[in-house]
Amino acid sequence: MKVVAFNGSPRKEGNTTSMVKLVCEELEKEGITTELIQLSGKKIQGCIACEKCFENKNQRCSVDNDVVNECIEKMLEAEGVILASPTYVTDVTAEMKALIDRCCLVSKANGDMFRRKVGAAVVVQRRGGAVRAFDTINHFFLIGQWVVPGSSYWNFAVGRNIGEAQGDEEGLRTMKILGENMAWLLKRIHGK
Ligand SMILES: Cc1cc2nc3c(=O)[nH]c(=O)nc-3n(C[C@H](O)[C@H](O)[C@H](O)COP(=O)(O)O)c2cc1C
Protein backbone atom coordinates (compact mmCIF):
# COMPACT_ATOMS: atom_id res chain seq x y z
CA MET A 1 0.00 0.00 0.00
CA LYS A 2 1.26 3.46 -0.80
CA VAL A 3 0.67 7.07 0.18
CA VAL A 4 2.04 9.86 -1.96
CA ALA A 5 2.41 13.31 -0.42
CA PHE A 6 2.63 16.56 -2.38
CA ASN A 7 4.11 19.65 -0.76
CA GLY A 8 3.05 22.98 -2.26
CA SER A 9 5.62 25.03 -0.35
CA PRO A 10 8.47 26.68 -2.22
CA ARG A 11 10.66 25.79 0.81
CA LYS A 12 11.60 22.15 0.35
CA GLU A 13 13.00 21.77 3.85
CA GLY A 14 10.47 24.03 5.56
CA ASN A 15 7.78 23.52 8.15
CA THR A 16 5.31 21.84 5.81
CA THR A 17 7.82 19.17 4.85
CA SER A 18 8.59 18.45 8.50
CA MET A 19 4.87 18.05 9.31
CA VAL A 20 4.28 15.76 6.34
CA LYS A 21 7.25 13.65 7.45
CA LEU A 22 5.62 13.12 10.85
CA VAL A 23 2.46 11.78 9.19
CA CYS A 24 4.55 9.59 6.89
CA GLU A 25 6.54 8.17 9.82
CA GLU A 26 3.33 6.83 11.33
CA LEU A 27 2.24 5.38 8.00
CA GLU A 28 5.61 3.68 7.53
CA LYS A 29 5.37 2.18 11.04
CA GLU A 30 2.20 0.48 9.80
CA GLY A 31 3.97 -0.91 6.74
CA ILE A 32 2.64 1.67 4.29
CA THR A 33 5.14 2.99 1.75
CA THR A 34 5.34 6.77 1.41
CA GLU A 35 6.75 9.15 -1.17
CA LEU A 36 7.10 12.92 -0.84
CA ILE A 37 6.93 15.01 -3.99
CA GLN A 38 7.96 18.64 -3.79
CA LEU A 39 6.17 21.01 -6.17
CA SER A 40 8.86 23.58 -5.43
CA GLY A 41 10.88 24.52 -8.50
CA LYS A 42 8.59 22.56 -10.82
CA LYS A 43 6.59 24.15 -13.60
CA ILE A 44 2.88 24.12 -12.80
CA GLN A 45 0.16 26.34 -14.16
CA GLY A 46 -3.50 26.84 -13.36
CA CYS A 47 -6.43 25.27 -15.22
CA ILE A 48 -7.01 26.96 -18.60
CA ALA A 49 -10.66 25.81 -18.73
CA CYS A 50 -10.25 24.17 -22.14
CA GLU A 51 -12.40 21.28 -20.84
CA LYS A 52 -10.62 18.92 -23.24
CA CYS A 53 -10.40 16.43 -20.38
CA PHE A 54 -14.16 15.95 -20.80
CA GLU A 55 -13.63 15.05 -24.47
CA ASN A 56 -10.50 12.95 -24.03
CA LYS A 57 -11.55 11.08 -20.87
CA ASN A 58 -8.05 9.58 -20.63
CA GLN A 59 -7.29 10.43 -16.99
CA ARG A 60 -4.89 13.14 -18.12
CA CYS A 61 -4.89 16.90 -18.33
CA SER A 62 -4.64 18.10 -21.93
CA VAL A 63 -2.05 20.67 -20.82
CA ASP A 64 0.86 18.25 -20.97
CA ASN A 65 3.89 20.48 -20.57
CA ASP A 66 4.25 20.59 -16.80
CA VAL A 67 4.26 18.35 -13.74
CA VAL A 68 0.49 17.81 -13.34
CA ASN A 69 0.08 14.60 -15.36
CA GLU A 70 3.00 13.07 -13.49
CA CYS A 71 1.24 14.00 -10.23
CA ILE A 72 -2.04 12.50 -11.47
CA GLU A 73 -0.27 9.24 -12.35
CA LYS A 74 1.26 9.12 -8.86
CA MET A 75 -2.16 9.71 -7.28
CA LEU A 76 -3.76 6.97 -9.39
CA GLU A 77 -1.07 4.48 -8.37
CA ALA A 78 -1.41 5.22 -4.63
CA GLU A 79 -4.17 4.23 -2.21
CA GLY A 80 -3.69 7.43 -0.21
CA VAL A 81 -2.67 11.02 -0.92
CA ILE A 82 -1.52 13.86 1.33
CA LEU A 83 -1.85 17.39 -0.01
CA ALA A 84 0.27 19.74 2.08
CA SER A 85 0.67 23.49 1.94
CA PRO A 86 1.79 26.43 4.01
CA THR A 87 -0.84 29.12 4.43
CA TYR A 88 -0.31 31.93 1.94
CA VAL A 89 -2.66 34.91 2.35
CA THR A 90 -5.18 32.71 4.15
CA ASP A 91 -5.20 29.87 1.63
CA VAL A 92 -3.00 27.26 -0.04
CA THR A 93 -0.07 28.32 -2.22
CA ALA A 94 -0.65 29.04 -5.91
CA GLU A 95 1.18 25.83 -6.81
CA MET A 96 -1.12 23.72 -4.65
CA LYS A 97 -4.22 25.49 -5.96
CA ALA A 98 -3.13 24.84 -9.56
CA LEU A 99 -2.67 21.15 -8.76
CA ILE A 100 -6.06 20.96 -7.04
CA ASP A 101 -7.98 22.75 -9.81
CA ARG A 102 -6.55 20.63 -12.60
CA CYS A 103 -6.79 17.30 -10.73
CA CYS A 104 -10.36 18.12 -9.77
CA LEU A 105 -11.47 18.74 -13.34
CA VAL A 106 -9.67 15.68 -14.75
CA SER A 107 -11.20 13.58 -11.98
CA LYS A 108 -14.70 14.86 -12.75
CA ALA A 109 -14.16 14.24 -16.48
CA ASN A 110 -13.28 10.65 -15.67
CA GLY A 111 -16.10 9.63 -13.33
CA ASP A 112 -14.40 10.62 -10.05
CA MET A 113 -11.34 8.50 -10.80
CA PHE A 114 -9.88 8.93 -7.29
CA ARG A 115 -13.07 7.60 -5.67
CA ARG A 116 -12.51 5.97 -2.26
CA LYS A 117 -8.82 6.76 -2.10
CA VAL A 118 -7.86 8.16 1.30
CA GLY A 119 -6.98 11.86 1.28
CA ALA A 120 -5.51 14.04 4.02
CA ALA A 121 -4.60 17.71 4.20
CA VAL A 122 -1.55 19.04 6.06
CA VAL A 123 -1.22 22.79 6.60
CA VAL A 124 1.18 25.15 8.37
CA GLN A 125 0.47 28.75 9.31
CA ARG A 126 2.34 31.53 11.05
CA ARG A 127 -0.79 33.01 12.67
CA GLY A 128 -4.04 32.86 10.68
CA GLY A 129 -5.77 31.32 7.68
CA ALA A 130 -4.85 27.64 8.08
CA VAL A 131 -8.47 26.61 8.49
CA ARG A 132 -9.27 28.05 5.10
CA ALA A 133 -6.29 26.35 3.46
CA PHE A 134 -7.36 23.10 5.16
CA ASP A 135 -10.90 23.61 3.80
CA THR A 136 -9.62 24.26 0.27
CA ILE A 137 -7.81 20.93 0.24
CA ASN A 138 -10.72 19.06 1.78
CA HIS A 139 -13.16 20.55 -0.72
CA PHE A 140 -11.12 18.82 -3.42
CA PHE A 141 -11.20 15.49 -1.60
CA LEU A 142 -14.85 15.59 -0.65
CA ILE A 143 -16.24 16.52 -4.06
CA GLY A 144 -14.25 13.69 -5.61
CA GLN A 145 -15.55 10.90 -3.34
CA TRP A 146 -12.28 10.56 -1.45
CA VAL A 147 -12.46 9.27 2.13
CA VAL A 148 -10.93 11.65 4.67
CA PRO A 149 -9.56 10.63 8.11
CA GLY A 150 -9.69 13.00 11.05
CA SER A 151 -7.26 13.78 13.85
CA SER A 152 -7.46 15.26 17.34
CA TYR A 153 -7.49 18.78 15.86
CA TRP A 154 -7.70 20.18 12.31
CA ASN A 155 -4.50 19.15 10.59
CA PHE A 156 -2.30 22.17 10.96
CA ALA A 157 0.74 23.34 12.87
CA VAL A 158 2.03 26.79 13.73
CA GLY A 159 5.41 28.24 12.76
CA ARG A 160 7.01 30.89 10.60
CA ASN A 161 10.73 30.32 10.14
CA ILE A 162 12.07 26.95 9.10
CA GLY A 163 12.00 24.57 12.07
CA GLU A 164 9.54 26.59 14.15
CA ALA A 165 6.58 24.25 13.61
CA GLN A 166 8.54 21.57 15.42
CA GLY A 167 7.98 23.54 18.59
CA ASP A 168 4.19 23.34 18.24
CA GLU A 169 3.44 20.39 20.50
CA GLU A 170 -0.25 20.17 19.69
CA GLY A 171 0.51 20.41 15.97
CA LEU A 172 2.98 17.53 16.28
CA ARG A 173 0.42 15.43 18.12
CA THR A 174 -2.19 16.23 15.48
CA MET A 175 0.13 14.99 12.71
CA LYS A 176 1.01 11.79 14.58
CA ILE A 177 -2.65 10.95 15.19
CA LEU A 178 -3.50 11.84 11.60
CA GLY A 179 -0.87 9.33 10.43
CA GLU A 180 -2.27 6.65 12.75
CA ASN A 181 -5.84 7.26 11.58
CA MET A 182 -4.86 7.40 7.93
CA ALA A 183 -3.10 4.03 8.27
CA TRP A 184 -6.11 2.58 10.11
CA LEU A 185 -8.48 3.76 7.40
CA LEU A 186 -6.26 2.64 4.52
CA LYS A 187 -6.06 -0.87 5.95
CA ARG A 188 -9.81 -1.08 6.30
CA ILE A 189 -10.60 0.23 2.84
CA HIS A 190 -7.68 -1.13 0.84
CA GLY A 191 -6.20 -3.91 3.00
CA LYS A 192 -6.30 -7.40 1.61
C1 LIG B 1 3.59 34.95 0.57
C2 LIG B 1 3.36 34.46 1.98
C3 LIG B 1 2.09 34.59 2.52
C4 LIG B 1 1.85 34.12 3.81
N1 LIG B 1 0.58 34.24 4.32
C5 LIG B 1 0.31 33.78 5.55
C6 LIG B 1 -1.00 33.88 6.09
O1 LIG B 1 -1.95 34.35 5.48
N2 LIG B 1 -1.20 33.42 7.35
C7 LIG B 1 -0.19 32.88 8.10
O2 LIG B 1 -0.46 32.50 9.23
N3 LIG B 1 1.05 32.75 7.60
C8 LIG B 1 1.33 33.18 6.35
N4 LIG B 1 2.59 33.03 5.84
C9 LIG B 1 3.62 32.33 6.64
C10 LIG B 1 3.80 30.85 6.26
O3 LIG B 1 2.56 30.17 6.23
C11 LIG B 1 4.72 30.17 7.28
O4 LIG B 1 5.97 30.82 7.29
C12 LIG B 1 4.91 28.70 7.06
O5 LIG B 1 5.60 28.15 8.15
C13 LIG B 1 5.70 28.41 5.80
O6 LIG B 1 5.80 27.02 5.61
P1 LIG B 1 7.06 26.37 4.86
O7 LIG B 1 8.23 26.51 5.80
O8 LIG B 1 6.70 24.94 4.63
O9 LIG B 1 7.25 27.10 3.59
C14 LIG B 1 2.89 33.51 4.57
C15 LIG B 1 4.16 33.38 3.99
C16 LIG B 1 4.41 33.86 2.71
C17 LIG B 1 5.79 33.72 2.12
Side-chain angles (χ1 to χ4, degrees), residues 122-173:
V122 168
V123 174
V124 176
Q125 70 171 2
R126 178 187 75 82
R127 190 171 176 84
V131 168
R132 180 151 152 181
F134 178 76
D135 290 348
T136 294
I137 296 170
N138 282 310
H139 291 151
F140 164 69
F141 289 138
L142 295 172
I143 201 175
Q145 303 187 46
W146 294 68
V147 182
V148 176
S151 185
S152 51
Y153 197 81
W154 301 296
N155 315 337
F156 65 83
V158 175
R160 180 181 188 171
N161 298 323
I162 291 175
E164 270 183 22
Q166 269 143 349
D168 173 15
E169 266 183 45
E170 187 169 2
L172 303 188
R173 201 161 52 246

Side-chain angles (χ1 to χ4, degrees), residues 7-185:
N7 179 17
S9 172
R11 300 200 296 200
K12 287 186 189 168
E13 297 307 323
N15 292 313
T16 313
T17 290
S18 61
M19 294 304 106
V20 170
K21 283 185 176 168
L22 291 176
V23 183
C24 291
E25 262 173 38
E26 297 307 314
L27 293 165
E28 297 268 353
K29 275 186 208 164
E30 293 296 325
I32 296 162
T33 307
T34 65
E35 181 181 0
L36 173 56
I37 295 172
Q38 303 280 359
L39 298 181
S40 174
K42 301 207 168 94
K43 189 180 160 200
I44 182 163
Q45 73 157 71
C47 178
I48 61 167
C50 65
E51 303 215 357
K52 287 200 180 125
C53 50
F54 285 93
E55 290 165 30
N56 297 338
K57 296 191 189 300
N58 62 356
Q59 302 192 326
R60 296 179 70 79
C61 179
S62 69
V63 177
D64 207 5
N65 59 2
D66 67 9
V67 76
V68 167
N69 279 325
E70 201 184 302
C71 295
I72 289 174
E73 281 167 24
K74 292 276 183 189
M75 286 187 199
L76 286 169
E77 280 164 22
E79 285 77 24
V81 169
I82 296 169
L83 294 184
S85 178
T87 305
Y88 272 18
V89 195
T90 68
D91 216 318
V92 295
T93 60
E95 292 85 346
M96 180 52 67
K97 189 63 166 69
L99 182 67
I100 285 174
D101 289 354
R102 287 175 57 199
C103 287
C104 189
L105 226 65
V106 173
S107 171
K108 278 289 155 212
N110 289 276
D112 288 340
M113 66 196 194
F114 302 120
R115 181 172 174 259
R116 295 188 184 156
K117 289 184 186 288
V118 175
V122 168
V123 174
V124 176
Q125 70 171 2
R126 178 187 75 82
R127 190 171 176 84
V131 168
R132 180 151 152 181
F134 178 76
D135 290 348
T136 294
I137 296 170
N138 282 310
H139 291 151
F140 164 69
F141 289 138
L142 295 172
I143 201 175
Q145 303 187 46
W146 294 68
V147 182
V148 176
S151 185
S152 51
Y153 197 81
W154 301 296
N155 315 337
F156 65 83
V158 175
R160 180 181 188 171
N161 298 323
I162 291 175
E164 270 183 22
Q166 269 143 349
D168 173 15
E169 266 183 45
E170 187 169 2
L172 303 188
R173 201 161 52 246
T174 303
M175 298 307 152
K176 181 175 161 33
I177 294 171
L178 175 64
E180 289 169 3
N181 289 342
M182 192 172 191
W184 184 92
L185 191 56

